[in-house]
Amino acid sequence: MIIAVSGEFGDDLIKFVYYRIENGRTLEREEVNAADNLDLLLRQLTGLKIDLLIAGKISAALERQIFEAGINLISGIRGKSDHILKQYLDGTLEF
């Protein structure tokens, strides 16, 4: 499973952390700059074969496009990406 957790980082760029998960373990972790328009962002997410995007506040247009692309979405989540991922994997993420 591939999970992306989005957020703002210190340089105010929107980024996401890409995790490749297998059997509940993180096999790969990489910070990626998010594309700056909806079409490019959607292509970026589908190109990385993201199964689940965990995000903060997103637009209705992007939410619709994400679902149409077959990517699961949890929105309205804030915090440190590694902590969010741990909570998701432990089943304790509140949304």
Side-chain angles (χ1 to χ4, degrees):
M1 170 181 239
I2 300 175
I3 299 173
V5 180
S6 70
E8 285 190 26
F9 290 73
D11 53 7
D12 293 330
L13 291 174
I14 302 297
K15 295 184 181 187
F16 59 88
V17 181
Y18 161 101
Y19 301 92
R20 190 164 57 88
I21 307 297
E22 195 172 295
N23 298 322
R25 290 186 17 231
T26 302
L27 300 180
E28 182 179 354
R29 179 193 186 281
E30 182 179 349
E31 286 186 20
V32 179
N33 289 334
D36 60 359
N37 76 49
L38 294 181
D39 290 332
L40 289 176
L41 178 60
L42 191 61
R43 277 190 248 148
Q44 184 179 34
L45 293 172
T46 56
L48 290 169
K49 300 184 186 322
I50 301 297
D51 297 300
L52 171 65
L53 173 62
I54 302 175
K57 189 167 88 172
I58 64 167
S59 71
L62 179 55
E63 183 175 320
R64 185 175 48 257
Q65 289 180 319
I66 287 170
F67 283 125
E68 288 172 359
I71 299 170
N72 293 308
L73 173 68
I74 299 172
S75 62
I77 305 298
R78 298 188 67 158
K80 302 276 186 195
S81 61
D82 291 337
H83 184 68
I84 290 169
L85 178 71
K86 181 182 181 318
Q87 287 181 323
Y88 175 78
L89 294 175
D90 290 347
T92 60
L93 183 64
E94 295 184 20
F95 51 96

